[in-house]
Coordinates of all heavy atoms in Angstrom, one line a residue:
P4 N 113.5 143.3 34.4 CA 113.7 142.1 33.7 C 115.1 142.1 33.1 O 115.6 143.2 32.7 CB 112.6 142.2 32.6 CG 112.3 143.7 32.5 CD 112.5 144.2 33.8
R5 N 115.7 140.9 33.0 CA 117.0 140.8 32.5 C 117.2 141.4 31.0 O 118.1 142.1 30.7 CB 117.5 139.4 32.5 CG 118.9 139.2 32.0 CD 119.5 137.8 32.3 NE 120.7 137.5 31.6 CZ 121.9 138.0 31.9 NH1 122.1 138.7 32.9 NH2 122.9 137.6 31.1
H6 N 116.2 141.1 30.2 CA 116.2 141.6 28.8 C 114.9 142.4 28.6 O 113.9 141.8 28.2 CB 116.2 140.5 27.8 CG 117.5 139.7 27.9 ND1 117.7 138.6 28.6 CD2 118.7 139.9 27.3 CE1 118.9 138.1 28.5 NE2 119.6 138.9 27.7
G7 N 114.9 143.7 29.0 CA 113.7 144.5 28.8 C 114.1 145.8 28.1 O 115.3 146.2 28.2
I8 N 113.2 146.4 27.4 CA 113.4 147.7 26.8 C 112.9 148.8 27.7 O 111.7 148.8 28.1 CB 112.7 147.8 25.4 CG1 113.2 146.6 24.5 CG2 113.0 149.1 24.8 CD1 112.5 146.5 23.2
R9 N 113.8 149.7 28.1 CA 113.4 150.8 28.9 C 113.7 152.1 28.1 O 114.8 152.2 27.5 CB 114.1 150.9 30.3 CG 113.7 149.8 31.2 CD 114.7 149.5 32.3 NE 115.9 149.0 31.8 CZ 116.2 147.8 31.5 NH1 115.2 146.9 31.6 NH2 117.3 147.4 30.9
A10 N 112.8 153.0 28.0 CA 113.0 154.1 27.0 C 112.0 155.3 27.4 O 111.0 155.1 28.1 CB 112.7 153.7 25.6
A11 N 112.4 156.4 26.9 CA 111.4 157.6 27.0 C 110.5 157.3 25.7 O 111.0 157.2 24.6 CB 112.2 158.9 26.8
H12 N 109.2 157.3 26.0 CA 108.3 157.0 24.9 C 107.0 157.7 25.1 O 106.6 158.0 26.2 CB 108.2 155.5 24.6 CG 107.7 154.8 25.8 ND1 106.4 154.6 26.1 CD2 108.4 154.1 26.8 CE1 106.2 153.9 27.2 NE2 107.4 153.6 27.6
T13 N 106.3 157.9 24.0 CA 104.9 158.4 24.0 C 104.0 157.3 23.4 O 104.5 156.2 23.1 CB 104.8 159.7 23.2 OG1 104.9 159.4 21.8 CG2 105.8 160.7 23.6
E14 N 102.8 157.6 23.1 CA 101.9 156.6 22.5 C 102.3 156.3 21.1 O 102.1 155.2 20.6 CB 100.5 157.2 22.5 CG 99.7 157.1 23.8 CD 98.3 157.5 23.7 OE1 97.8 157.5 22.5 OE2 97.7 157.7 24.7
S15 N 103.0 157.2 20.4 CA 103.4 156.9 19.0 C 104.9 157.0 18.7 O 105.3 156.6 17.6 CB 102.7 158.0 18.1 OG 103.1 159.3 18.5
T16 N 105.7 157.4 19.7 CA 107.2 157.5 19.4 C 108.0 156.9 20.6 O 107.5 156.7 21.7 CB 107.6 159.0 19.3 OG1 107.4 159.7 20.5 CG2 106.8 159.7 18.2
I17 N 109.2 156.7 20.2 CA 110.3 156.3 21.2 C 111.5 157.1 20.9 O 111.8 157.4 19.8 CB 110.6 154.7 21.1 CG1 111.7 154.3 22.1 CG2 110.9 154.3 19.7 CD1 111.9 152.8 22.2
T18 N 112.2 157.5 22.0 CA 113.4 158.3 21.9 C 114.6 157.3 21.9 O 114.7 156.5 22.9 CB 113.5 159.4 22.9 OG1 112.4 160.3 22.8 CG2 114.8 160.2 22.8
V19 N 115.5 157.5 21.0 CA 116.8 156.7 21.0 C 117.9 157.7 20.9 O 117.7 158.8 20.5 CB 116.8 155.7 19.8 CG1 115.7 154.6 20.0 CG2 116.7 156.4 18.5
Y20 N 119.1 157.2 21.2 CA 120.3 158.1 21.3 C 121.4 157.6 20.3 O 121.6 156.4 20.1 CB 120.8 158.2 22.7 CG 119.8 158.7 23.6 CD1 118.9 157.9 24.4 CD2 119.6 160.1 23.8 CE1 117.9 158.4 25.2 CE2 118.6 160.6 24.6 CZ 117.8 159.8 25.3 OH 116.8 160.3 26.1
Q21 N 122.1 158.6 19.8 CA 123.3 158.4 18.9 C 124.2 159.5 19.2 O 123.9 160.6 19.8 CB 122.9 158.4 17.5 CG 122.0 157.3 17.0 CD 121.8 157.2 15.5 OE1 121.4 158.1 14.9 NE2 122.2 156.0 15.0
A22 N 125.5 159.3 18.9 CA 126.5 160.4 19.1 C 127.3 160.5 17.8 O 127.8 159.4 17.2 CB 127.4 160.1 20.3
Y23 N 127.6 161.7 17.4 CA 128.3 162.0 16.1 C 129.2 163.2 16.3 O 129.1 163.9 17.3 CB 127.3 162.3 15.0 CG 126.4 161.1 14.6 CD1 125.1 161.0 14.9 CD2 126.9 160.1 13.8 CE1 124.3 160.0 14.5 CE2 126.2 159.0 13.3 CZ 124.8 159.0 13.7 OH 124.1 157.9 13.3
S24 N 130.0 163.4 15.3 CA 130.8 164.6 15.2 C 129.8 165.8 14.9 O 128.7 165.6 14.3 CB 131.8 164.5 14.1 OG 131.2 164.4 12.8
P25 N 130.2 167.0 15.2 CA 129.4 168.2 14.9 C 129.0 168.3 13.4 O 127.9 168.8 13.1 CB 130.2 169.3 15.4 CG 131.1 168.8 16.5 CD 131.4 167.4 16.0
E26 N 129.9 167.8 12.5 CA 129.6 168.0 11.1 C 128.3 167.3 10.7 O 127.7 167.7 9.8 CB 130.8 167.4 10.3 CG 132.1 168.3 10.4 CD 132.9 168.0 11.6 OE1 132.6 166.9 12.3 OE2 133.7 168.8 12.0
I27 N 128.0 166.2 11.4 CA 126.8 165.4 11.1 C 125.7 165.9 12.0 O 124.6 166.1 11.5 CB 127.1 163.9 11.3 CG1 128.0 163.4 10.2 CG2 125.8 163.1 11.3 CD1 128.4 161.9 10.3
S28 N 126.0 166.0 13.3 CA 124.9 166.2 14.2 C 124.3 167.6 14.2 O 123.0 167.8 14.3 CB 125.3 165.9 15.6 OG 126.5 166.6 15.9
L29 N 125.1 168.6 13.9 CA 124.5 170.0 13.9 C 123.5 170.2 12.8 O 122.4 170.8 13.0 CB 125.6 171.0 14.0 CG 126.5 171.0 15.2 CD1 127.5 172.1 15.2 CD2 125.6 171.1 16.5
P30 N 123.8 169.8 11.5 CA 122.8 169.9 10.5 C 121.6 169.0 10.8 O 120.5 169.4 10.4 CB 123.6 169.4 9.2 CG 125.0 169.6 9.5 CD 125.2 169.4 11.0
A31 N 121.8 167.9 11.4 CA 120.7 167.0 11.7 C 119.7 167.6 12.6 O 118.5 167.6 12.4 CB 121.2 165.7 12.3
V32 N 120.3 168.3 13.6 CA 119.4 169.0 14.6 C 118.7 170.2 13.9 O 117.5 170.4 14.1 CB 120.2 169.5 15.8 CG1 119.4 170.5 16.7 CG2 120.7 168.4 16.6

Side-chain angles (χ1 to χ4, degrees):
R5 180 169 166 79
H6 296 92
I8 302 173
R9 289 161 298 277
H12 56 85
T13 69
E14 284 187 12
S15 59
T16 65
I17 178 172
T18 298
V19 296
Y20 298 93
Q21 297 189 299
Y23 291 106
S24 66
E26 291 81 17
I27 290 176
S28 52
L29 297 183
V32 171

